[in-house]
Amino acid sequence: MNGPLDLRVLVLLLVGVVVGYIAYTHPAAGVALVVAATVVTLLYLLMGSGGSGSGSPPPR
């Protein structure tokens, strides 16, 4: 991150608010969104760590 609020953080917050609103107004769609977000997050973490399962970078 380059500053106190990176563009990625703002996008993630905005997406979180939209997903929260959808989950609040449509509970059935909210469950599907939570499952999809969980799967995408796990895949992102596994791909970013080289498949080792730990999200932290190797020590320098």
Side-chain angles (χ1 to χ4, degrees):
M1 286 198 202
N2 295 332
L5 282 179
D6 193 8
L7 180 61
R8 293 174 289 180
V9 173
L10 292 176
V11 169
L12 288 175
L13 284 173
L14 180 64
V15 169
V17 167
V18 170
V19 169
Y21 176 75
I22 292 171
Y24 179 74
T25 57
H26 305 288
V31 172
L33 287 171
V34 169
V35 169
T38 303
V39 169
V40 169
T41 301
L42 289 174
L43 288 174
Y44 174 78
L45 290 174
L46 287 174
M47 289 185 343
S49 64
S52 66
S54 64
S56 60
R60 292 184 182 218

